[in-house]
């Protein structure tokens, strides 16, 4: 299985894929591309809330060896949930305390895959990501997740902050992982219905999401390096939730 297996290219082909209801993760459009057909594609992309970016032709050439006509789309190998559908499904199970994971601005597909794998092992009920800017689910994601991407429900939202508010309104406590706090993960209760927010390694969690969170927590770092890989840090947070709930 290769990343190319989840790609389509050519303006008309991508328009047809969108009209046929295919789940597209992201569309890459060559900078400076003009014409009525590309305008039609851009309108469709925006109407359907599909993530896209304008890139130099060199990037498109690296993504595929085919005649891409200035546009390449990545097709998701999984179906995404709507947030409301996912939360309703999880809350309907009275035998389990809900545990969600929100990923803010995480863009590396391998880190994403590793996090999904850990999420499945720790009983996470669902992962929530943004439609724009989030790492796509590619062949590399599937491989790194060891197939867990087919098992853990993933929801895409327009704005992660709105997802935070929706979870809170549904009785779920939101805890953000950040070094900008005095509380450690061992000071925060994860025994009740919870959602853990993890940010990207370079910029962390969006300030507005930090402000909206019910609690913040950090991992104590005893060495000289100031941070952990995000997938490793996520694993520590999730297993702390497991430890608390087992006790």
């Amino acid at each position: 299985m290769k990343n190319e297996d989840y790609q389509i290219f050519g303006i008309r082909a991508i328009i047809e894929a969108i009209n046929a209801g295919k789940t597209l993760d992201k569309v890459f459009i060559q900078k400076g591309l003009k014409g009525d057909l590309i305008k039609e594609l851009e309108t469709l992309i925006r109407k359907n809330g599909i993530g896209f970016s304008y890139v130099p032709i060199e990037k498109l050439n690296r993504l595929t060896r085919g005649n891409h006509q200035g546009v390449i789309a990545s097709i998701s190998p999984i179906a995404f949930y709507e947030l409301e559908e996912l939360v309703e499904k999880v809350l309907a199970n009275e035998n389990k305390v809900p545990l969600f994971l929100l990923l803010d601005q995480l863009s590396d597909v391998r880190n994403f895959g590793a996090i999904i794998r850990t999420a499945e092992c720790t009983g996470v009920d669902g992962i929530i990501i943004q439609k724009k800017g989030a790492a796509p689910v590619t062949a590399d994601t599937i491989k790194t997740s060891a197939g867990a991407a087919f098992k853990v429900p993933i929801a895409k939202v327009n704005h992660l902050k709105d997802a935070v508010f929706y979870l809170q309104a549904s009785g779920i406590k939101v805890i953000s992982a950040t070094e900008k706090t005095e509380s450690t993960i061992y000071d925060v209760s994860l025994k009740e219905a919870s959602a853990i927010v993890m940010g990207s390694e370079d910029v962390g969690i969006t300030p507005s999401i930090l402000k909206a969170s019910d609690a913040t927590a950090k991992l104590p770092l005893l060495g000289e390096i100031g941070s952990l890989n995000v997938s490793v840090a996520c694993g520590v947070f999730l297993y702390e939730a497991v430890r608390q709930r087992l006790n």
Side-chain angles (χ1 to χ4, degrees), residues 121-222:
C121 291
T122 53
V124 168
D125 296 294
I127 298 173
I128 302 165
I129 61 175
Q130 292 176 192
K131 289 182 179 179
K132 291 185 178 180
V137 179
T138 65
D140 286 336
T141 314
I142 299 295
K143 182 179 180 180
T144 312
S145 78
F150 296 118
K151 299 178 180 294
V152 181
I154 301 174
K156 277 191 169 186
V157 297
N158 289 320
H159 305 288
L160 211 60
K161 186 178 177 181
D162 291 340
V164 168
F165 291 145
Y166 185 83
L167 289 168
Q168 290 170 329
S170 302
I172 298 162
K173 183 171 74 172
V174 176
I175 303 103
S176 285
T178 175
E179 76 283 357
K180 301 172 183 177
T181 182
E182 293 303 316
S183 301
T184 73
I185 186 61
Y186 311 116
D187 300 321
V188 177
S189 173
L190 297 167
K191 292 183 178 181
E192 60 266 42
S194 305
I196 297 172
V197 186
M198 302 296 300
S200 65
E201 291 180 307
D202 52 348
V203 296
I205 295 173
T206 305
S208 60
I209 294 177
L210 279 177
K211 186 176 180 180
S213 300
D214 297 298
T216 55
K218 65 181 178 181
L219 293 174
L221 298 174
L222 307 182

Side-chain angles (χ1 to χ4, degrees), residues 45-243:
I45 289 171
R46 291 187 174 95
K47 181 180 177 182
N48 288 273
I50 299 168
F52 70 97
S53 61
Y54 296 100
V55 299
I57 191 172
E58 289 80 9
K59 180 176 177 72
L60 299 178
N61 292 338
R62 288 196 301 269
L63 290 173
T64 182
R65 298 174 183 174
N67 180 19
H68 51 67
Q69 299 175 350
V71 186
I72 296 176
S74 57
I75 305 176
S76 174
I78 67 170
F80 293 99
Y81 281 72
E82 294 293 330
L83 176 63
E84 295 81 1
E85 176 191 7
L86 174 59
V87 173
E88 183 178 336
K89 178 183 177 183
V90 172
L91 293 181
N93 183 1
E94 298 179 354
N95 298 319
K96 186 178 184 299
V97 180
L99 180 60
F100 292 94
L101 182 61
L102 288 79
L103 304 179
D104 182 22
Q105 306 178 79
L106 185 74
S107 57
D108 185 274
V109 294
R110 290 180 178 84
N111 274 335
F112 189 22
I115 286 172
I116 297 171
R117 182 174 184 174
T118 303
E120 199 280 331
C121 291
T122 53
V124 168
D125 296 294
I127 298 173
I128 302 165
I129 61 175
Q130 292 176 192
K131 289 182 179 179
K132 291 185 178 180
V137 179
T138 65
D140 286 336
T141 314
I142 299 295
K143 182 179 180 180
T144 312
S145 78
F150 296 118
K151 299 178 180 294
V152 181
I154 301 174
K156 277 191 169 186
V157 297
N158 289 320
H159 305 288
L160 211 60
K161 186 178 177 181
D162 291 340
V164 168
F165 291 145
Y166 185 83
L167 289 168
Q168 290 170 329
S170 302
I172 298 162
K173 183 171 74 172
V174 176
I175 303 103
S176 285
T178 175
E179 76 283 357
K180 301 172 183 177
T181 182
E182 293 303 316
S183 301
T184 73
I185 186 61
Y186 311 116
D187 300 321
V188 177
S189 173
L190 297 167
K191 292 183 178 181
E192 60 266 42
S194 305
I196 297 172
V197 186
M198 302 296 300
S200 65
E201 291 180 307
D202 52 348
V203 296
I205 295 173
T206 305
S208 60
I209 294 177
L210 279 177
K211 186 176 180 180
S213 300
D214 297 298
T216 55
K218 65 181 178 181
L219 293 174
L221 298 174
L222 307 182
E224 295 182 4
I225 296 176
S227 65
L228 289 168
N229 172 277
V230 63
S231 66
V232 174
C234 186
V236 178
F237 268 81
L238 291 177
Y239 268 102
E240 173 60 16
V242 171
R243 185 194 69 80

Side-chain angles (χ1 to χ4, degrees), residues 9-14 28-30 33-34 37-38 41 57 60-61 64 66-72:
F9 43 86
I11 301 174
R12 289 190 182 278
I14 295 173
F28 298 95
I29 303 172
Q30 181 182 325
L33 210 58
K34 299 184 184 300
L37 207 56
I38 192 64
L41 175 59
I57 191 172
L60 299 178
N61 292 338
T64 182
N67 180 19
H68 51 67
Q69 299 175 350
V71 186
I72 296 176

